[in-house]
């Protein structure tokens, strides 16, 4: 067969056809000017991407495509990188043009009604049903994951302003009042804290009166373990990170998104400098170069408080050479409570957990050894160093040691944060600290560790509540978020609520969690549960999920099958 050769003009060889305009969305000059004016002199670093997205979202009520393109150009990033971060977080309202190129105006206001388990038990669904008709089309009403106000259920956020023990009337009244800022609880400010002897221990560490080795030894002897849920010994963590080559960094986790947990907010609203002193002591002992505080976006009042108190601390430091402290704002993603996902978020990325090893203590924030701590863990550092390890270790019941801050919600007379001995049982906690059960309610069951900690029946109310005591029963204490159930509740309904939460909050990185949580929601929605399929699904999620979300998500289902089989008959 003869080959047909098509001649090519010599002058066209090697020449590329020129595009009339570059590929992709073009940057609108007006949008670019708006973004530049909004950011002002703020650095355009990649790790500040989420902060800049917040600035745009706060100002314009949404993230429109022209502003995202302008931000990408201003930060010298690909538009896809900016878009993937913006769409990952629940609190960013990303919109695109319609077919005619028009951008829908943002809602005048967003009302978020918490649908967490404590709020559902208190009537949140009734609010979600009533509010759209009462508020009209200009106000958007959405069901939100736990907003950390479980002791005041049902709770809602009008904009960023909380409404506690919310009724439809109270929410309508708050909306009508406009942008009323949440008034903080009375708290110990910087001056009052210094007058009460605050930062004396930090100065002792800075001056060498209390050596780093002695401080670490005291923490180890006290037996303080990480109070965010993992329970890793705090003193040992200090020793491990301090042994790594510098520069070292510190990341503080105040993204308590576990349904039922609100202890960090409770302490932060009342005594912020006790936490800040513990943080600075740990930083000085470990010799970190900078500190990053990651605070969940739902805590706007805490953010304002902490911003002000950090300003006072910088203007009148209690000792020389305080490390730089950056306060970073979450954007509504439960997964960022996982330490490596939080670090990814601080770096300006999606909150995807990292595979380990390497561990955060070795390769953490910006690739440096990182001391990661929960808020409450640091809150106790000053007291332990001043009172001695025996004071903390001497607390406890039933053979356990230490103190625990229990976030208690549900069917009790006195929900709230209750500081009690580690190892206390749920029946003791209810009777001695919570004022007993609500009138007309009989103790039926409890969640010992929030959404992921499992569900136990009242007949197992004599188990000491502490690390390592609940694992034989398929549960764990986690952050000590205790939700008390009564004979007005069903464990099946609780499991459905919790699994809906996990499916909503799965980051989507790994298939076992992304697909498994969604499939579990479908399976347990049925009147009759396919126990064999659920058992297989649970095993795959536990064995193959990257992080604790997928690994622990089956706990409520497994506990219902194991301890509440009569509800499935």
């Amino acid at each position: 067969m003869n080959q047909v050769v098509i001649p090519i003009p010599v002058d066209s060889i090697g020449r590329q056809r020129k595009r009339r305009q570059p590929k992709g969305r073009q940057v609108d000059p007006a949008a670019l000017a708006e973004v530049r004016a909004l950011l002002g002199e703020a650095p355009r670093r990649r790790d500040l991407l989420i902060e800049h997205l917040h600035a745009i979202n706060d100002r314009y009520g949404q993230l429109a495509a022209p502003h995202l393109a302008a931000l990408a150009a201003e930060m010298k990033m690909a538009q896809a990188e900016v878009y993937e971060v913006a769409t990952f977080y629940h609190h960013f309202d990303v919109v695109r043009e319609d077919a005619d190129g028009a951008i829908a105006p943002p809602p005048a206001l967003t009302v978020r009604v918490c649908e967490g388990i404590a709020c559902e038990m208190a009537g949140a669904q009734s609010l979600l049903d009533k509010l759209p008709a009462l508020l009209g089309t200009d106000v958007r009403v959405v069901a939100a994951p736990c907003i950390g106000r479980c002791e005041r259920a049902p709770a809602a956020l009008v904009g960023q302003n909380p409404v506690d023990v919310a009724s439809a009337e109270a929410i309508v009244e708050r909306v009508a009042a406009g942008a009323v800022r949440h008034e903080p609880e009375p708290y110990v400010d910087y001056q009052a804290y210094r007058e009460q002897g605050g930062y004396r221990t930090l100065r002792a560490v800075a001056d060498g009166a209390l050596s780093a080795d002695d401080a670490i030894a005291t923490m180890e002897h006290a037996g303080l373990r990480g109070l965010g849920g993992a329970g890793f010994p705090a003193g040992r963590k200090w020793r491990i990170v301090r042994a790594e080559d510098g520069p070292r960094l510190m990341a503080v986790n105040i993204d308590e998104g576990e349904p039922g947990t609100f202890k960090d907010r409770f302490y932060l609203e009342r005594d912020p400098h006790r936490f800040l002193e513990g943080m600075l002591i740990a930083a000085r002992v470990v010799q970190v170069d900078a500190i990053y505080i990651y605070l969940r976006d739902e805590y706007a009042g805490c953010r304002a408080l902490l911003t002000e108190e950090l300003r006072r601390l910088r203007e009148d430091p209690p000792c020389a050479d305080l490390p730089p402290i950056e306060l970073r704002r979450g954007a509504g993603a439960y997964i960022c409570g996982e330490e490596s996902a939080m670090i990814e978020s601080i770096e300006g990325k999606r909150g995807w957990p990292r595979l380990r090893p390497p561990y955060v203590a070795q390769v953490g924030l910006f690739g440096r050894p990182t001391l990661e701590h929960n808020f409450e863990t640091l809150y106790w550092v000053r007291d332990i160093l001043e009172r001695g390890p025996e004071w903390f270790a001497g607390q406890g019941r039933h053979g356990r040691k230490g103190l625990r801050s229990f976030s208690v919600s549900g069917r009790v007379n006195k929900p709230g944060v209750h500081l009690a001995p580690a190892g206390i049982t749920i029946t003791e906690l209810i009777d001695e600290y919570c004022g007993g059960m609500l009138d007309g309610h009989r103790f039926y069951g409890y969640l010992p560790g929030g959404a992921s900690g499992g569900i136990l029946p009242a007949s197992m109310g004599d188990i000491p509540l502490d690390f390592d005591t609940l694992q034989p029963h398929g549960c764990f204490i986690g952050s000590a978020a205790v939700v008390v159930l009564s004979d007005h509740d069903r464990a099946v309904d609780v499991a459905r609520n919790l699994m809906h939460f996990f499916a909503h909050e799965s980051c989507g990185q790994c298939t076992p969690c992304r697909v498994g949580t969604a499939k579990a929601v479908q399976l347990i929605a049925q009147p009759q549960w396919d126990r064999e399929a659920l058992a297989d699904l649970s095993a795959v999620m536990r064995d193959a999920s990257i992080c604790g979300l997928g690994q622990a998500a089956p706990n409520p289902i497994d506990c219902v099958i194991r301890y509440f089989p009569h509800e499935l008959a």
Side-chain angles (χ1 to χ4, degrees), residues 96-121:
R96 284 189 174 275
E97 300 99 331
D98 61 20
D100 298 324
I103 297 174
L109 189 65
T110 296
V111 174
R112 289 184 166 88
V113 178
C114 178
E115 62 175 356
I117 184 59
C119 289
E120 182 181 271
M121 291 163 60

Side-chain angles (χ1 to χ4, degrees), residues 6-216:
I6 301 176
I8 301 175
V10 174
D11 61 354
S12 68
I13 296 176
R15 185 188 304 166
Q16 293 182 349
R17 181 180 298 172
K18 292 184 178 180
R19 296 182 181 276
R20 294 183 179 179
Q21 61 183 21
K23 293 176 65 177
R25 173 180 292 279
Q26 302 310 296
V27 177
D28 178 66
L32 183 61
E34 290 172 342
V35 167
R36 286 175 172 169
L38 190 61
L39 301 187
E41 299 300 319
R44 271 53 168 174
R45 301 194 315 263
R46 168 63 193 258
D47 62 291
L48 292 173
L49 172 59
I50 293 174
E51 298 297 314
H52 296 339
L53 288 170
H54 270 304
I56 297 171
N57 202 76
D58 289 347
R59 170 64 179 82
Y60 295 101
Q62 61 186 13
L63 296 175
H67 284 143
L68 290 177
L71 180 62
E74 186 69 5
M75 298 187 70
K76 296 180 172 58
M77 294 175 60
Q79 292 183 28
E81 291 181 285
V82 174
Y83 186 79
E84 73 177 9
V85 173
T87 54
F88 180 84
Y89 296 92
H90 303 316
H91 291 183
F92 291 142
D93 295 309
V94 180
V95 298
R96 284 189 174 275
E97 300 99 331
D98 61 20
D100 298 324
I103 297 174
L109 189 65
T110 296
V111 174
R112 289 184 166 88
V113 178
C114 178
E115 62 175 356
I117 184 59
C119 289
E120 182 181 271
M121 291 163 60
Q125 188 56 52
S126 176
L127 292 177
L128 288 166
D129 293 339
K130 294 177 182 177
L131 286 173
L134 294 173
L135 295 175
T137 57
D138 288 341
V139 178
R140 178 176 57 176
V141 178
V142 298
C146 182
I147 62 174
R149 311 188 74 82
C150 317
E151 83 280 27
R152 300 170 182 176
L157 291 173
V158 176
Q160 293 185 340
N161 305 296
V163 180
D164 296 329
V165 195
S167 64
E169 294 73 20
I171 292 175
V172 170
E173 182 180 341
R174 177 58 65 89
V175 169
V180 179
R181 276 294 182 190
H182 172 57
E183 291 297 326
E185 301 279 349
Y187 70 95
V188 181
D189 64 12
Y190 183 59
Q191 181 178 351
Y193 186 76
R194 291 288 299 270
E195 292 172 352
Q196 297 170 9
Y199 291 107
R200 177 181 57 203
T201 303
L202 173 63
R203 289 197 300 273
V205 173
D207 296 342
L210 176 61
S211 70
D213 288 336
D214 286 345
I216 291 175

Side-chain angles (χ1 to χ4, degrees), residues 190 194 308-318 322:
Y190 183 59
R194 291 288 299 270
E308 174 61 19
E309 295 308 311
L310 285 172
R311 181 191 65 79
R312 295 176 179 177
L313 183 65
R314 294 187 190 99
E315 291 179 353
D316 181 24
L322 291 184

Side-chain angles (χ1 to χ4, degrees), residues 17 70 79 98 145 170 214 236 290 345 398 412 466 526-527 551 568:
R17 181 180 298 172
Q79 292 183 28
D98 61 20
D214 286 345
R236 190 193 308 173
S345 189
H398 306 297
V412 294
D466 197 14
Q526 304 303 315
Q551 294 163 10
L568 301 173

Side-chain angles (χ1 to χ4, degrees), residues 403-416:
L403 291 167
R404 292 293 261 161
S405 299
F406 293 94
S407 303
V408 184
S409 58
R411 311 296 192 179
V412 294
N413 281 310
K414 295 180 181 178

